[in-house]
Structure formats: structure tokens, C-alpha cells
């Protein structure tokens, strides 16, 4: 700034009338002029970061770009969703990439590929048998044969790209390998088979974004089984 200030001074005549004292209006004017380049640089940096949804100050403009409207004005989540939409075409179709996109909305979301194959139709509730486990006593209510975990009244949502006809998961293991789960967690046996899938609660205003991301990223021939309760 001092170099710029000295350059401006040289534009004035060299006489006592144009000498600068500490409190003179002329000096204040020159200082104001000298500061302008720094202000411009700072504002340009802010404008540059407006180009990216995760740092932009103009969330409303980014909403228009992606044709979305947020009913919940949570700035951090708004930026995360927009950033996910921005990066969506660069990441591929893997379950890992899909999960990385969905966790921008909720950090607890898990994407599990159905390998080894497990029946997606029967995993909202399961029986747990513990006979022969010496660490659990018979009178323990959670340690008896036939103990059940899960929610009998909950049904997962089926999400697929082709909606031209009503679809239900076929009772045929040849089709189950093309299913994967969007959930909170899974319980596996010692063979690594999925026994139980825990549902996840998410605010309903994020449902459209989550379903859009899933349909956009996942391979079109696969089926997403969503263990999500919208609240």
C-alpha cells in the first residue's frame, strides 16, 4: 500500500501547498485511494468463492441453478447438498461414492451392497437365537431363543429408475444381488450374511434430495432398499 501511496503523491505538484501533514484532508484522501486495491482484491476473493456451492454466500442463486428449494434453512446442510449435486457427475456409480454424497445430508447414512446375497424382503425384523452361549443366562429377556429385534410395522421403500410398472422385489435370490440397502447399520452372522438392517430417521424435507442422489448415482439396473423413516 505504501508504494501505491507514494506513486499517488508524485502526481501532485511539489510545493508547500501540497505538503501532507498527518491530519490533512488531502492525506486522508490519498490513503483512501491507496486502500482501494486491497479492497478490490479482497472482494474478488469473495466473489471467487461464490463460484463453489460449499463456500458461496449466494445460496439462493445456487438453488436456481439446480432447481431446488430448501424448506429447512440450515446453511451448512444447504451448502453440503449443493456441493454434492455439483460433484455428482465426477464420482462414478460405486456404493462408496453414493455414501459419500449422502453423508453430506446425514452423517449416519450407510450404503450396503447386498453381497453376500441376503433377502431384502425379510430384514425389518429378525429372530436372534443364543442357545449355547455361556456368557448369557437363560432368564435374561434378551438372551432367549427366538428373541426378536426390529420394527414389525416398518416397511422399507423400494427405489428404482424404471417406474413404468409396479415393482416389488422378487422372491428369487438371483435378483437380490442387484439390491442394496440405505440404512443406519446392519447385523451380520459369522458367515458375513446380513441378518438385520437398522432403520434410520431423517427429516422429511431432505427426502427429495436423497432420492434424487440415489437415482442419479446408482446403476440403473439396481434397486435401492431404503430403511429410512421420514420424520
Amino acid at each position: 500500500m505504501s508504494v501505491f501511496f507514494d506513486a499517488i503523491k508524485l502526481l501532485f505538484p511539489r510545493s508547500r501547498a501540497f505538503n501532507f501533514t498527518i491530519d490533512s484532508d488531502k492525506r486522508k484522501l490519498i490513503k483512501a485511494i491507496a486502500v482501494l486495491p486491497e479492497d478490490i482484491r479482497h472482494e474478488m476473493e469473495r466473489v471467487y468463492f461464490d463460484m463453489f456451492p460449499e463456500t458461496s454466500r449466494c445460496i439462493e442463486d445456487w438453488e436456481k441453478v439446480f432447481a431446488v428449494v430448501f424448506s429447512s434453512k440450515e446453511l451448512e446442510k444447504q451448502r453440503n447438498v449443493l456441493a454434492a449435486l455439483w460433484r455428482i457427475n465426477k464420482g462414478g456409480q460405486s456404493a462408496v461414492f453414493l455414501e459419500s454424497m449422502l453423508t453430506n445430508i446425514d452423517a449416519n447414512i450407510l450404503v450396503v451392497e447386498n453381497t453376500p446375497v441376503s433377502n431384502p424382503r425379510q430384514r425389518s425384523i429378525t429372530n436372534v437365537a443364543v442357545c449355547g452361549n455361556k456368557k448369557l443366562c437363560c432368564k435374561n429377556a434378551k438372551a432367549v431363543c427366538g428373541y426378536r429385534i426390529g420394527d414389525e410395522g416398518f416397511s422399507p421403500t423400494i427405489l428404482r429408475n424404471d417406474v413404468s410398472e409396479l415393482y416389488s422385489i422378487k422372491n428369487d435370490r438371483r435378483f437380490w444381488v442387484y439390491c442394496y440397502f440405505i440404512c443406519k447399520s446392519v447385523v451380520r452372522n459369522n458367515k458375513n450374511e446380513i441378518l438385520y438392517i437398522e432403520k434410520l430417521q431423517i427429516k422429511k424435507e431432505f427426502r427429495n434430495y436423497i432420492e434424487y442422489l440415489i437415482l442419479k448415482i446408482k446403476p440403473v439396473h439396481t434397486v435401492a432398499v431404503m430403511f429410512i423413516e421420514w420424520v
Side-chain angles (χ1 to χ4, degrees):
M1 185 179 75
S2 60
V3 174
F4 184 80
F5 177 61
D6 291 337
I8 291 294
K9 285 198 298 183
L10 293 176
L11 298 176
F12 287 82
R14 296 183 181 181
S15 66
R16 290 185 177 182
F18 289 93
N19 284 340
F20 297 105
T21 59
I22 293 177
D23 296 325
S24 72
D25 290 337
K26 295 186 183 69
R27 186 176 184 87
K28 293 177 182 178
L29 171 63
I30 299 305
K31 280 190 173 181
I33 296 174
V35 169
L36 284 178
E38 178 64 19
D39 289 344
I40 293 172
R41 183 189 67 81
H42 181 63
E43 183 60 25
M44 286 299 295
E45 288 178 347
R46 298 176 69 183
V47 171
Y48 173 76
F49 285 114
D50 284 340
M51 296 172 60
F52 306 98
E54 61 266 38
T55 54
S56 176
R57 299 166 296 171
C58 311
I59 295 298
E60 293 79 9
D61 292 337
W62 276 103
E63 288 181 356
K64 293 176 183 177
V65 170
F66 291 108
V68 297
V69 177
F70 293 96
S71 57
S72 176
K73 301 300 181 182
E74 300 176 53
L75 183 59
E76 191 63 29
K77 284 197 173 184
Q78 287 176 274
R79 284 177 168 170
N80 288 341
V81 171
L82 291 168
L85 294 173
W86 176 257
R87 297 194 302 270
I88 196 171
N89 292 323
K90 299 182 180 179
Q93 296 181 312
S94 70
V96 173
F97 176 68
L98 176 57
E99 183 178 297
S100 71
M101 293 294 97
L102 294 178
T103 51
N104 286 302
I105 300 173
D106 191 302
N108 295 313
I109 289 182
L110 182 68
V111 178
V112 181
E113 292 180 288
N114 196 11
T115 305
V117 173
S118 176
N119 187 346
R121 303 164 55 126
Q122 301 174 356
R123 297 301 170 213
S124 60
I125 191 165
T126 190
N127 294 331
V128 179
V130 294
C131 290
N133 189 333
K134 295 180 180 180
K135 293 182 179 180
L136 297 176
C137 60
C138 291
K139 292 183 180 181
N140 186 330
K142 294 184 178 181
V144 296
C145 294
Y147 170 64
R148 310 182 80 187
I149 56 175
D151 184 354
E152 289 182 319
F154 175 77
S155 297
T157 303
I158 307 302
L159 201 61
R160 62 195 295 259
N161 293 80
D162 183 7
V163 293
S164 60
E165 60 182 12
L166 187 64
Y167 179 83
S168 62
I169 298 174
K170 293 179 171 57
N171 192 16
D172 186 335
R173 65 185 308 109
R174 291 177 300 173
F175 294 93
W176 300 344
V177 71
Y178 299 112
C179 297
Y180 61 91
F181 307 105
I182 314 295
C183 57
K184 183 176 182 179
S185 65
V186 297
V187 175
R188 298 177 184 270
N189 61 14
N190 57 3
K191 298 179 181 179
N192 205 33
E193 297 171 333
I194 297 173
L195 294 177
Y196 169 68
I197 301 165
E198 184 180 0
K199 69 181 180 182
L200 176 65
Q201 290 187 334
I202 300 180
K203 291 181 179 180
K204 60 185 176 182
E205 54 258 41
F206 293 106
R207 179 171 185 168
N208 289 340
Y209 306 117
I210 289 175
E211 291 186 351
Y212 172 81
L213 287 171
I214 292 171
L215 290 171
K216 181 71 174 179
I217 295 173
K218 78 176 189 65
V220 295
H221 66 284
T222 61
V223 176
V225 186
M226 300 175 63
F227 281 76
I228 297 178
E229 182 178 17
W230 307 104
V231 295

